[in-house]
Amino acid sequence: MHHPSLLFFILPLILPLSASWPPSHQSHFTKHRRKSTAPPQEYVEVTRPLPTDSLPPSCTLLILSHSFGNTTDLPPTNTTYSPPPDCTWSRAVLHLSASANGSQHDRMAAVWLSEAELLRTSTPAPSADGVLWNVRKDVTRYSSLLRQSNLTLSVMLQNSVTDIYTGFYAVNLTVLYYSIAGNANTINAGSLPISLFPPNQKPTTGKFQSGPPPPKPKNPLKLDENPADQIIPISATGEEGFWFKIESGLDAVHQGIQIPLNTYRAVIEVYVSFHGNDEFWYNNPPDTYFESNGLPKTGSKGAYREVLVKLDDDIIGSVVPFPVIFGGGINPLFWEPVVSIGAFDLPSYEFELTPFLGLLLDGKVHSFGFGVADALSFWLLDANLHLWLDNGAVKVQAGAIKFESPSSCLERESNFRQLDGEFEIEAKRENEFKGWVYSSAGNFTTSVFTELEFENKVKLNKNGTEKEVEQDVKETKRVEIKDYKGNVVSTLRVERKYPLRIRSSSLPGARRNTSLVTTKLEQEVKEQEEDGNSKISLVNRLKSSGWMFAQGEDVLSGAATTSQKYQLQGSVCYTRRVLANNGVIQTDTEGFLCQTATS
Ligand SMILES: *[C@@H]1O[C@H](CO)[C@@H](O)[C@H](O)[C@H]1NC(C)=O
Ligand SMILES: *[C@@H]1O[C@H](CO)[C@@H](O)[C@H](O)[C@H]1NC(C)=O
Ligand SMILES: *[C@@H]1O[C@H](CO)[C@@H](O)[C@H](O)[C@H]1NC(C)=O
Ligand SMILES: *[C@@H]1O[C@H](CO)[C@@H](O)[C@H](O)[C@H]1NC(C)=O
Ligand SMILES: *[C@@H]1O[C@H](CO)[C@@H](O)[C@H](O)[C@H]1NC(C)=O
Ligand SMILES: *[C@@H]1O[C@H](CO)[C@@H](O)[C@H](O)[C@H]1NC(C)=O
Ligand SMILES: *[C@@H]1O[C@H](CO)[C@@H](O)[C@H](O)[C@H]1NC(C)=O
Ligand SMILES: *[C@@H]1O[C@H](CO)[C@@H](O)[C@H](O)[C@H]1NC(C)=O
C-alpha cells in the first residue's frame, strides 16, 4: 500500500479534543489545508439522473439566491413562492446549486414550502479553496403546494463564520417544471379516486436501451406518481427552523390535526437526521462500558435508535433511519469529492395511514406524534401529511378491519473486559393494519404490513484501539388495495436493506493528542420494489478505505480511496461506477444497459 502525498499544513489553532476518548470513539473531524490556487472542486453524491433530466423544462423559476454567513441562532431565510404564470406542468424538480468560498464545517440544511419540508440536505466539509455542488430532487409529490401562490419558502442553513472557518455558503434554489403527457397530475383532481386502479401499462423491455431512462410506469401508490391533493405539515414554529429538536429518548413531539372529511387516502412522510452526540449512534458501546472503564460518555446509550410514529399515542410505525454520514464524519477524506450515500438528499420515510381513516374521519382533532427511542441530543425531525381528497358526491366513510398492535422485541448482549469486548443488539418489529374506505370510487380495503429487523454488533479489540461495527437493517413493506369483491387493484411491495460496516484502528502518535486512524467502511442501500406490473431493484454500494493523522479533531494528513457502484434494474436500467482517490475522481462511468443475470 502506498500513500501518495496528500499532506495538509498545520494551522496554529488546535481545537479541543472531543470528550469521548479513547480515540476510536471519536468520529467527527475537520480538515485544515492552506488555500492554494486551485479552483473550487465539485462534490457529488453518486445517484442516477432523474428521468426528466434529458427533457427541456416548460418553465424554470429561480426561487432563492442567498449567501449563508454567520447564521448561528438566526431563523430561516424566507422568500415568497408563486408558480410561474401560464406554465403547464406535471412534474417538478428542485435544483439546489451551492458553493462555499472558504474552509468550513459540514452543515445541515433544509428547504420548506409553507412549513412542509421538501428537502433535507447537508453541505460538504470544504477546505480553503472552497467547493461547489448540485442537488436535484423530484418534488412532484409536493405539487399541491407548488401550484399555490404566495406561499412562504424557507431555507435553514446554520453556519458560523470565524477567523479559521471563513466559508460562506452561497445557495441558489431553482424549480424546474416539466410537462409530461399521461402524468396523473394533469388530470383534474375530481376524478382522482379512480387513480387507485392499476395503470393499463405493461413494463417495456429495457434491453439495449441507450440514452437516459424514460419516465417509469405509473403506480398510484407512489407519491411521486400520484401526488396528494393536500399536504399538512407537522412541524415546529419556525424561529429555529420548522424541524422539531429531539434531545432524549423521553422527548416526544406532537401536533393536533383535523383532516378533511373527504379524505380517501393518507400517507405520512417523515424527515429525520441525527447530530451532536447522536451523529454516530450506530457506533456506540453501551453506557456500562464507559462507566466501568471510568470514561466520559457523551455519545453512548448503545447502538440502537428507532424513530417512532404515533397516532393518538399508539405507535403505528417506526423506522431505523439510514446511517447518513456527513462531510466531516468518520474520515473526512473519504468524502472528497464523493459524499456519503444520502448526504445531499437525505431519505424521507413514508407510512401509509389509509387503514386509520375510520379513526381519523370523525371530524375531531387527532394527535400525530414522534419520538426517537434512546435518543441523545439531538435529532431534527418533522413530517408532511399527504392527503388525497374525494370531490365526488358521496361522503367518504371508513372503518377499521384489523389493527395488529405493533409487536416488538429487543435483545441486548454485552460482554467485555476493560476496554475490549463485544456488544450485540437485535430488534424486530412487525405490524399489520387493515381498513376500508368507501369513496365515490367505491369501497376499497387497504392492508399494510411492515416488518423491521435490526442487528448491530460493536467489537473492541487491542485495548479499545480497534473497533468493528456491523449493522444490518431490513425493512419489508406491503401495501395492497382490494375492491369490494376482493380483487386486488393496486399493490406495492418494498424490501429495503442497508448494511453498514466500519473497521477502524487508532494508534497514538508521538506528539500529544495525535493519533493515526486507519479505517475501512462499507455502506449500502439494497432496494426491491414490486407493484404487480413491474419490478425495480437498486444496489447502491459505497466502499471507502484510508488513513489519517489527526490531532484532536483536526486532520493533519492522510490518504483515502472511495469507490461506489450504483445499479438500478427494472423496466429501465442504469449503472454508474465511480472511483475517487485522494480527493480526485479517477473514473466515473455510466451505462443504460440491462443485465440478463443479476450480479
Ligand atoms: C455569529 O453569531 C453569533 C450569534 O448571534 C455571535 O455570538 C457571534 O459573535 C457571531 N460571530 C461573528 C464572527 O460575527
Ligand atoms: C447563483 O446564481 C447567480 C446568478 O445567476 C450566479 O451568479 C451564481 O454563481 C449562482 N451561485 C451558485 C452557488 O450557483
Ligand atoms: C399574491 O400577492 C400579490 C402581492 O401581495 C397579490 O398581488 C396577488 O394577487 C397574490 N396572489 C394570489 C393568488 O393570492
Ligand atoms: C465569501 O462570501 C461572502 C459573501 O459573499 C463574503 O462576504 C466573504 O468575504 C467571502 N469570503 C472569502 C474568503 O472570499
Ligand atoms: C421566516 O419565517 C418564520 C416562520 O414564519 C419565522 O419564524 C422567521 O422569523 C422568518 N425568518 C426571518 C429571517 O424573518
Ligand atoms: C366496505 O367494505 C367493508 C369490507 O368488505 C365492509 O365491512 C363495509 O361495511 C363496507 N362499507 C360500506 C359503507 O359499504
Ligand atoms: C489500555 O488503555 C488504557 C487507557 O488508554 C491504559 O491506561 C492501559 O495502560 C492500556 N493497557 C495496555 C495493556 O496497554
Ligand atoms: C489533549 O487532550 C487532553 C484531554 O482530552 C486535553 O485536556 C488537552 O488540552 C489536550 N492538549 C492539547 C495540546 O490539545
Side-chain angles (χ1 to χ4, degrees), residues 14-19 21 512-513 551-552:
I14 305 298
L15 284 178
L17 183 75
S18 156
W21 190 256
R512 276 220 317 166
N513 286 356
Q551 180 158 33

Side-chain angles (χ1 to χ4, degrees), residues 92-109:
V93 170
L94 183 69
H95 184 163
L96 178 145
S97 153
S99 66
N101 63 355
S103 149
Q104 193 47 268
H105 288 288
D106 52 343
R107 304 290 183 188
M108 211 49 213

Side-chain angles (χ1 to χ4, degrees), residues 21-23 295 418-419 462-465:
W21 190 256
L295 299 166
Q418 289 167 339
L419 291 168
K462 300 209 172 146
N463 203 24
T465 62

